[in-house]
Amino acid sequence: MSETTRYETDWLTIPDLVELLDEPLGRVRRLIDEHYLVGSRREGVFKVPAVFVMDGRPLSSLRGTIIVLHDAGFDPDETIDWLLTPEDTIGVAPIEALRAGRKSEVRRVAATLA
């Protein structure tokens, strides 16, 4: 998979998330631990794709999708890559479909990956 095909997004560090979500550090860490957000080390720093946040909150449909992918054996890097890479059966990157309210369709496809 080439980098150029991926959905373009900025990356947020934990301090960025504390500021953007207006939540204390412990709460931001819990959001990650409880799969409301997923991140991984990029250039040595833990980061979360900015596209996973909408209107100052974690995208509401993201948690269930992360859990489905986790149950399918995806690690955080693979989860992020799948969400940001255009999926033929969906027609766009899964994160784009989630942001457009197409949660059921995305989860249906994610569930077939196990």
Side-chain angles (χ1 to χ4, degrees), residues 5-55:
T5 62
R6 287 179 51 172
Y7 188 88
E8 283 297 310
T9 183
D10 289 327
W11 292 82
L12 302 169
T13 62
I14 297 282
D16 294 335
L17 286 166
V18 166
E19 190 175 324
L20 181 66
L21 301 174
D22 194 27
E23 294 283 1
L25 177 62
R27 174 83 180 121
V28 170
R29 290 195 187 283
R30 264 196 314 286
L31 288 170
I32 293 163
D33 290 343
E34 296 171 3
H35 308 298
Y36 288 94
L37 290 168
V38 62
S40 67
R41 290 207 173 275
R42 305 279 158 150
E43 294 136 28
V45 179
F46 185 86
K47 296 181 182 178
V48 171
V51 71
F52 292 179
V53 176
M54 199 160 145
D55 302 325

Side-chain angles (χ1 to χ4, degrees), residues 37-109:
L37 290 168
V38 62
S40 67
R41 290 207 173 275
R42 305 279 158 150
E43 294 136 28
V45 179
F46 185 86
K47 296 181 182 178
V48 171
V51 71
F52 292 179
V53 176
M54 199 160 145
D55 302 325
R57 309 275 1 121
L59 185 62
S60 63
S61 57
L62 191 59
R63 182 173 192 251
T65 307
I66 292 169
I67 292 169
V68 169
L69 291 167
H70 180 79
D71 290 348
F74 281 50
D75 68 23
D77 278 314
E78 293 165 332
T79 298
I80 291 166
D81 288 343
W82 187 81
L83 285 164
L84 296 179
T85 304
E87 172 65 47
D88 291 342
T89 51
I90 299 171
V92 294
I95 191 62
E96 208 174 335
L98 287 176
R99 291 177 67 90
R102 294 163 55 194
K103 170 175 78 176
S104 301
E105 181 183 0
V106 171
R107 291 199 189 150
R108 199 168 40 249
V109 173

